[in-house]
């Protein structure tokens, strides 16, 4: 069955509330700041926002419903998307369908988390039933050990070296420095990457996500409404969403991108060869490499060779503000889409994207 396109839908006003390493403020404060910046950017009042989508892990015990009370909102369309790194894309595609169907006219999509000194450890202990019962009690408090196994398996299977992942991490830092709100303010060298202390072999310090606090957001509305408001916008050409893909694979060496990428490119009327900009979700470098492969930029196992090619500067991966791995980073893709043809990819759980 062919999917309906996204004609007439606009994505606009990408905003970032600058990240900090630690914060004593609640997630509610970060999300409220994000909404305020969205309203300022589009010139609307909060009463004009009749759709609201929220992603956060540290908002608990509140959900999106409770947040509407904190913010004084009364939306007729509401979505709560605690999907981790996949949240930004999921929020975008669901909001686009809501605008197309007339369920809402202007939808604010916001995501944010706080990071107290001890909040990341507490989040990991209760991240999921699997984490609580099958991982955390055995001393593997968090994703490092799980992704270390996956990284080691990939390295053995395809003959990959740490230097290959290091080139990716160095390029990521270089690109991030061009963003005013980046937390790290100096370049990373390959020598520094290789010399960093081990965390869970073969993962070292700069392979891992740094917990922090922050928020991001964008609005979804009709092209006609965006033109009336006089704001710049990007058009959405194609999206895919799938969960728990390839569930019987004993080792997660592929995910939903590989299953649905033909559908994605068919929707968009384009292909990997046409992309000027690629943005992947990076909880660990091996996942970014897998996305490059599964999205068709190179064959399986050829990701490291692809990275070694000259001219990789246009590649960016988004490292989440991982007090929740929720980090939601669609605004950067929206900014890029205002001037380039791009593909953005996210995943959080096995098979998601």
């Amino acid at each position: 069955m062919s999917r309906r396109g996204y004609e007439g839908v606009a994505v606009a006003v990408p905003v970032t509330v600058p990240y900090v390493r630690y914060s004593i403020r609640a997630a509610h404060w970060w999300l409220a700041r994000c909404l305020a910046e969205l309203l300022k950017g589009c010139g609307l009042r909060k009463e004009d926002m009749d759709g609201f989508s929220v992603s956060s892990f540290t908002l608990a015990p509140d959900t999106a419903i409770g947040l509407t009370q904190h913010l004084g909102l009364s939306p007729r369309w509401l979505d709560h998307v605690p999907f981790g790194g996949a949240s930004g894309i999921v929020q975008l595609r669901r909001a686009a369908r809501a605008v197309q169907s007339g369920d809402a006219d202007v939808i604010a999509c916001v995501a944010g988390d706080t990071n107290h000194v001890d909040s990341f450890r507490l989040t990991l202990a209760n991240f999921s039933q699997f984490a609580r019962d099958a991982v955390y009690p055995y001393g593997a408090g968090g994703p490092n050990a799980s992704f270390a196994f996956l990284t080691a398996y990939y390295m053995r299977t395809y003959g990959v070296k740490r230097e290959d992942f290091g080139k990716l991490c160095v390029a990521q830092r270089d690109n991030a420095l061009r963003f005013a709100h980046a937390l790290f303010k100096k370049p990373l060298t390959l020598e520094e990457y290789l010399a960093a202390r081990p965390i869970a072999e073969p993962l070292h310090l700069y392979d891992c996500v740094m917990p922090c606090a922050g928020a991001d957001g964008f609005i979804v509305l009709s092209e006609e409404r965006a033109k009336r408001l006089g704001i710049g916008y990007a058009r959405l050409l194609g999206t895919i969403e799938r969960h728990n893909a390839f569930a019987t694979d004993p080792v997660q060496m592929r995910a939903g991108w590989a299953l649905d990428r033909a559908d994605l490119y068919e929707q968009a009327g384009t292909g990997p060869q046409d992309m000027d900009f690629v943005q992947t979700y990076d909880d660990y470098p091996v996942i970014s490499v897998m996305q490059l492969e599964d999205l068709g930029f190179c064959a399986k196992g050829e990701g490291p060779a692809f990275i070694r090619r000259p001219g990789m500067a246009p590649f960016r991966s988004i490292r989440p503000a991982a007090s929740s791995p929720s980090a939601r980073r669609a605004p950067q893709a929206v900014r890029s889409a205002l001037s380039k043809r791009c593909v953005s990819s996210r995943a959080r759980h096995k098979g998601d994207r």
Side-chain angles (χ1 to χ4, degrees):
M1 182 177 67
S2 61
R3 304 191 194 205
R4 179 184 177 188
Y6 293 93
E7 294 81 8
V9 176
V11 189
V13 197
V15 302
T16 294
V17 181
Y19 308 159
V20 297
R21 182 69 173 90
Y22 295 107
S23 174
I24 61 171
R25 302 183 185 276
H28 305 64
W29 183 88
W30 291 95
L31 293 164
R33 279 283 311 277
C34 187
L35 178 62
E37 292 300 315
L38 288 176
L39 294 172
K40 185 188 302 182
C42 66
L44 294 173
R45 305 169 305 154
K46 66 180 181 181
E47 292 79 10
D48 299 318
M49 295 284 182
D50 59 351
F52 193 46
S53 178
V54 180
S55 174
S56 178
F57 282 159
T58 53
L59 185 63
D62 278 330
T63 64
I65 297 172
L67 188 61
T68 63
Q69 297 173 324
H70 284 278
L71 302 180
L73 298 173
S74 181
R76 61 190 179 111
W77 185 89
L78 181 66
D79 202 11
H80 186 204
V81 187
F83 290 177
S87 296
I89 300 300
V90 174
Q91 288 178 283
L92 173 59
R93 68 185 308 275
R94 295 183 181 182
R97 292 306 188 198
V99 168
Q100 277 190 321
S101 68
D103 286 343
D105 294 323
V106 182
I107 300 175
C109 298
V110 300
D113 282 291
T114 191
N115 185 37
H116 306 313
V117 173
D118 203 35
S119 61
F120 189 53
R121 181 183 66 82
L122 296 175
T123 299
L124 291 177
N126 295 286
F127 182 71
S128 68
Q129 189 79 29
F130 286 119
R132 188 170 60 193
D133 294 347
V135 179
Y136 202 81
Y138 296 95
N144 290 330
S146 300
F147 282 93
F149 286 130
L150 178 60
T151 302
Y153 183 87
Y154 185 93
M155 293 174 74
R156 289 195 307 270
T157 303
Y158 297 115
V160 180
K161 305 296 183 184
R162 284 194 62 228
E163 288 82 353
D164 297 322
F165 292 133
K167 187 176 187 299
L168 178 63
C169 293
V170 169
Q172 291 167 348
R173 178 71 67 86
D174 180 65
N175 284 323
L177 291 175
R178 305 168 198 272
F179 182 55
H181 300 316
L183 270 181
F184 290 113
K185 301 299 183 183
K186 63 178 184 179
L188 175 68
T189 67
L190 183 60
E191 291 73 21
E192 289 172 326
Y193 169 86
L194 293 172
R197 62 184 174 91
I199 302 298
E201 289 289 359
L203 299 178
H204 287 232
L205 182 63
Y206 295 117
D207 294 305
C208 304
V209 174
M210 185 185 75
C212 55
D216 293 279
F218 53 89
I219 64 172
V220 179
L221 68 173
S222 69
E223 286 191 62
E224 181 183 347
R225 185 73 177 272
K227 290 175 181 177
R228 291 204 307 266
L229 291 171
I231 57 177
Y233 63 89
R235 291 185 298 111
L236 182 58
L237 297 183
T239 70
I240 50 176
E241 177 183 345
R242 183 180 292 274
H243 304 274
N244 201 33
F246 306 113
T248 60
D249 284 3
V251 180
Q252 185 190 353
M253 294 292 285
R254 55 182 179 167
W257 320 288
L259 195 60
D260 292 316
R261 74 184 185 200
D263 185 15
L264 173 67
Y265 292 130
E266 183 179 0
Q267 288 180 58
T270 187
Q273 71 280 356
D274 301 310
M275 297 300 144
D276 299 311
F277 178 91
V278 180
Q279 180 185 51
T280 67
Y281 173 80
D282 171 20
D283 39 8
Y284 294 86
V286 68
I287 301 301
S288 280
V289 174
M290 286 169 54
Q291 288 168 76
L292 289 172
E293 295 169 347
D294 289 351
L295 285 168
F297 291 94
C298 56
K300 201 66 180 175
E302 295 180 2
F306 181 81
I307 293 169
R308 294 184 203 114
R309 291 168 48 188
M312 282 300 295
F315 176 77
R316 175 181 293 169
S317 66
I318 296 304
R319 290 227 152 157
S323 107
S324 107
S326 157
R328 29 306 145 189
R329 306 301 175 219
Q332 289 91 330
V334 177
R335 292 187 184 99
S336 302
L338 290 173
S339 60
K340 295 175 182 254
R341 179 168 294 182
C342 69
V343 58
S344 182
S345 172
R346 298 287 191 280
R348 177 69 200 116
H349 302 291
K350 179 175 179 178
D352 289 359
R353 56 88 201 79

